[in-house]
Amino acid sequence: MAEKILMPRLSDTMTEGVIASWHKKVGEKVKKGDLLAEIETDKATMELESYKDGTLLHLGGEKGAKIQVDELLAIVGNDGEDISSLISSKPEHSTQQAEPVAKKEPSITNEQQTSIDISKMDEVVLMPRLSDTMEEGVIAAWHKNIGDTVKKGEVLADIETDKATLELESYKNGTLLHIGAQQGEKIPVNGLLCVIGEEGKVDINAIIAATKNGGAQAATSEIKEAIPAAANDHAQVNDTVEKPSGSSTSENGRIKASPLAKKLAAEKGVNLSAINGSGDGGRITKSDVDNYKSESANKSSAPSVTATASAPVYTGSTEEGFTDIPNSQMRNVIAKRLGESKFSAPHFYLTMEINMDNAMAARVQLNEISPAKISFNDMVVKATALALRQHPAVNSSWMGDKIRRYNHIHIGIAVAIEDGLIVPVVRFADQKTLPQIAAESKELAGKAKNKKLQPNEFSGNTFTISNLGMMDIDEFTAIINPPDSCIMAVGRIKEIVVRKGDSFGVSNVMKVTMSCDHRSVDGASGAAFLQTFKKYLENPITMLL
């Protein structure tokens, strides 16, 4: 199905973007990670990657055109698809006008007051807001030391947010004169991250004093931030990685490679300069790194010896004690958002038992011909999506003064990771086949565990599923995942003895419990939805019609 790509907000001061160049033409095939265009913002020119496969069906403007934030940039879909409704429809996201970019002031001197707004200074870099829920960032690593020369596009630091660890690039040339925090320390959004300028011409003490006096608490429209490598909805989110050294292949001395290619190369220990890129202008893509084989890799190696892992020996302590584990950014946000959900949304719970005999038999038959292995959770996702079509009241959000019912169906699937919980989203799940849902769910879960999800892959859910059946949990209740009105907790499939005619037999049953926000979903609406969901799972052939 065709999907719109809107102009992303690549900085807090950005109100529009200029098309510096298109790397794809209408009618050309586009793959995930392909470079679509270069967008000139008020801070820098950034590459925009596609986040889906398909054909480029429409461009929102030609080279040099200005497009407002959240307005139509491009449409990617299937060949021959009717996109007239997408072109004429209004933007999906909030188009609240940002204030004009603040006029920059010259560097301060000792004679100036320390109460000035340092956010208006070219030399000051403030902590950017790298996700919609981010309130502070943790310095995962600095890639530059005080006194080092910094060039545009060079990575300054790795910032850990509540969603991922992102690379922060410099948007100017100069010398790193001051850093606001050491590795492992926190800086609030809009707090002083660092100062880049010309040595001897910037009064660092005055900037620090202004920060303490509130000089860094500028309006959002005035923030001077470094542009992150992946701080928008269509860019690649990366883990922190050690950058491989190598010769440059681009005009400004940087190797042309997608963020995911850089990440993968670092994990494999591959020097990017040794790889020939197959992308636009010789740009290195993920597949180039996947297909690269170094000389050492081609040489035969001695067989490895696999040691048998043994369980660690427990040694009890004879003294009282404890270990304090600092919260990660993700854990802090999980605690805050779920606390707000639990204590602000009036939850009620509906539990239903479902006979899974037919579903189990159907799954065996489907997996004999399916290109992707279908799990029971994939069948739950499909049944949920189809049931939401018939019960739009459940596919909604409480908006305070109104209830928003969504026309589209995006199913979030809760995935447990080391730092907590993240919810990748299967978009337009009702329009996808079981094999498509299976393949996409597997890919998203893998990305989630490796912290490689793009922002658009863990946002936009209209309903969430949490499944603990694989951990032998019979039933449980889940806290609603905002902005959804409902979340469904799925337990394990277990055998029970039931009466069958004049004798007894065994059936396989599964319990689900749906948590509902009573402000937007009534009990009868939730119960009707579960009845429809039950019919789909107990008669799986109906999901194929």
Side-chain angles (χ1 to χ4, degrees):
M1 179 177 178
E3 192 165 342
K4 295 196 293 186
I5 296 178
L6 305 182
M7 175 63 77
R9 188 182 300 277
L10 304 178
S11 79
D12 280 350
T13 59
M14 176 181 171
T15 60
E16 63 184 12
V18 176
I19 307 297
S21 64
W22 283 105
H23 288 262
K24 295 291 183 180
K25 298 178 181 178
V26 172
E28 289 187 346
K29 296 294 183 182
V30 177
K31 294 182 179 180
K32 279 186 179 180
D34 280 357
L35 185 59
L36 277 180
E38 293 182 22
I39 308 297
E40 182 183 345
T41 74
D42 56 318
K43 297 290 199 311
T45 300
M46 297 187 64
E47 297 177 343
L48 188 73
E49 297 180 358
S50 174
Y51 58 87
K52 69 169 292 180
D53 299 331
T55 301
L56 185 58
L57 303 176
H58 176 78
L59 301 180
E62 298 299 325
K63 179 179 178 181
K66 294 181 181 180
I67 299 179
Q68 297 293 312
V69 168
D70 290 339
E71 288 191 353
L72 181 62
L73 180 64
I75 297 177
V76 176
N78 300 320
D79 288 325
E81 194 170 353
D82 182 8
I83 59 172
S84 56
S85 61
L86 294 179
I87 296 176
S88 60
S89 64
K90 294 180 180 180
E92 298 175 3
H93 304 300
S94 169
T95 55
Q96 212 171 24
Q97 185 77 20
E99 294 182 23
V101 177
K103 184 178 179 181
K104 299 182 181 228
E105 295 183 356
S107 303
I108 59 174
T109 63
N110 290 329
E111 287 77 21
Q112 291 176 290
Q113 297 180 355
T114 60
S115 60
I116 65 168
D117 186 352
I118 64 171
S119 68
K120 296 181 179 180
M121 296 179 57
D122 279 340
E123 294 83 3
V124 172
V125 178
L126 303 181
M127 175 63 77
R129 187 183 301 278
L130 303 178
S131 78
D132 55 351
T133 56
M134 176 180 170
E135 295 183 354
E136 61 186 10
V138 175
I139 306 297
W142 282 104
H143 289 263
K144 294 290 183 179
N145 299 316
I146 292 177
D148 286 354
T149 299
V150 178
K151 294 182 179 179
K152 275 187 179 180
E154 287 188 332
V155 177
L156 280 175
D158 296 328
I159 308 296
E160 181 189 346
T161 74
D162 55 308
K163 298 287 175 60
T165 301
L166 307 179
E167 296 175 342
L168 193 71
E169 297 181 358
S170 175
Y171 63 87
K172 66 168 295 176
N173 300 321
T175 301
L176 183 59
L177 303 175
H178 174 77
I179 59 176
Q182 300 297 322
Q183 181 176 338
E185 294 180 348
K186 299 176 182 179
I187 299 179
V189 169
N190 299 349
L192 179 61
L193 181 64
C194 65
V195 178
I196 299 174
E198 189 174 346
E199 197 166 3
K201 293 189 176 181
V202 181
D203 191 336
I204 301 299
N205 292 330
I207 293 175
I208 296 173
T211 302
K212 294 179 180 178
N213 291 337
Q217 303 304 314
T220 302
S221 61
E222 297 176 335
I223 297 172
K224 307 300 180 215
E225 64 175 50
I227 301 296
N232 62 80
D233 283 351
H234 309 296
Q236 190 74 38
V237 176
N238 300 307
D239 292 322
T240 303
V241 295
E242 185 179 347
K243 305 298 174 295
S245 60
S247 59
S248 63
T249 57
S250 61
E251 294 179 0
N252 63 358
R254 298 183 65 207
I255 296 175
K256 293 182 179 179
S258 71
L260 187 55
K262 293 179 183 179
K263 161 69 176 170
L264 192 60
E267 289 177 346
K268 292 186 173 184
V270 175
N271 191 331
L272 284 173
S273 62
I275 301 177
N276 293 321
S278 62
D280 300 317
R283 189 169 181 264
I284 300 170
T285 65
K286 175 181 178 293
S287 60
D288 296 327
V289 180
D290 284 332
N291 297 329
Y292 175 76
K293 293 183 178 180
S294 63
E295 293 182 3
S296 59
N298 291 328
K299 296 179 181 178
S300 60
S301 57
S304 59
V305 179
T306 303
T308 303
S310 57
V313 178
Y314 173 76
T315 55
S317 175
T318 58
E319 297 180 0
E320 294 182 348
F322 56 85
T323 301
D324 289 332
I325 302 173
N327 291 338
S328 65
Q329 292 295 93
M330 179 178 287
R331 178 63 64 184
N332 282 331
V333 172
I334 289 172
K336 180 180 178 181
R337 295 195 71 199
L338 292 187
E340 290 173 349
S341 173
K342 181 66 175 178
F343 302 123
S344 64
H347 287 52
F348 72 91
Y349 309 95
L350 301 170
T351 300
M352 182 172 281
E353 189 173 83
I354 298 169
N355 187 306
M356 295 292 288
D357 289 342
N358 290 338
M360 294 177 71
R363 178 173 175 261
V364 172
Q365 293 177 316
L366 287 168
N367 278 331
E368 290 177 354
I369 58 174
S370 175
K373 186 176 181 181
I374 298 169
S375 68
F376 288 114
N377 199 66
D378 299 326
M379 300 178 78
V380 168
V381 170
K382 180 67 173 178
T384 299
L386 292 177
L388 287 172
R389 279 184 180 178
Q390 300 181 40
H391 303 277
V394 177
N395 193 48
S396 64
S397 294
W398 175 257
M399 306 299 292
D401 59 341
K402 58 183 174 289
I403 296 173
R404 175 170 295 168
R405 291 185 179 178
Y406 299 101
N407 298 326
H408 57 276
I409 296 172
H410 294 347
I411 305 295
I413 304 173
V415 175
I417 60 177
E418 185 178 353
D419 290 335
L421 196 71
I422 195 165
V423 183
V425 179
V426 177
R427 308 173 84 83
F428 305 103
D430 60 317
Q431 301 175 43
K432 293 179 177 175
T433 64
L434 278 168
Q436 288 175 325
I437 290 173
E440 188 170 337
S441 296
K442 183 177 180 181
E443 180 185 6
L444 289 171
K447 286 184 176 182
K449 292 183 183 297
N450 293 317
K451 293 186 177 180
K452 294 180 180 178
L453 286 174
Q454 298 181 40
N456 67 287
E457 292 175 322
F458 56 75
S459 61
N461 45 286
T462 62
F463 187 99
T464 300
I465 293 170
S466 179
N467 192 336
L468 291 178
M470 72 290 294
M471 303 182 74
D472 291 334
I473 299 300
D474 288 335
E475 60 179 304
F476 67 104
T477 59
I479 299 173
I480 295 169
N481 177 37
D484 300 349
S485 287
C486 299
I487 183 171
M488 186 158 63
V490 182
R492 72 184 178 104
I493 299 173
K494 67 175 183 178
E495 291 184 343
I496 61 170
V497 177
V498 296
R499 188 177 185 87
K500 293 186 176 181
D502 295 332
S503 60
F504 292 90
V506 173
S507 282
N508 296 277
V509 299
M510 178 182 76
K511 285 187 177 180
V512 298
T513 300
M514 188 164 74
S515 306
C516 305
D517 184 344
H518 217 325
R519 297 173 300 181
S520 50
V521 177
D522 296 327
S525 299
F529 164 82
L530 284 180
Q531 285 180 323
T532 303
F533 170 77
K534 178 185 175 78
K535 288 178 181 177
Y536 278 121
L537 271 187
E538 291 189 341
N539 301 280
I541 193 172
T542 59
M543 292 193 286
L544 308 178
L545 298 178

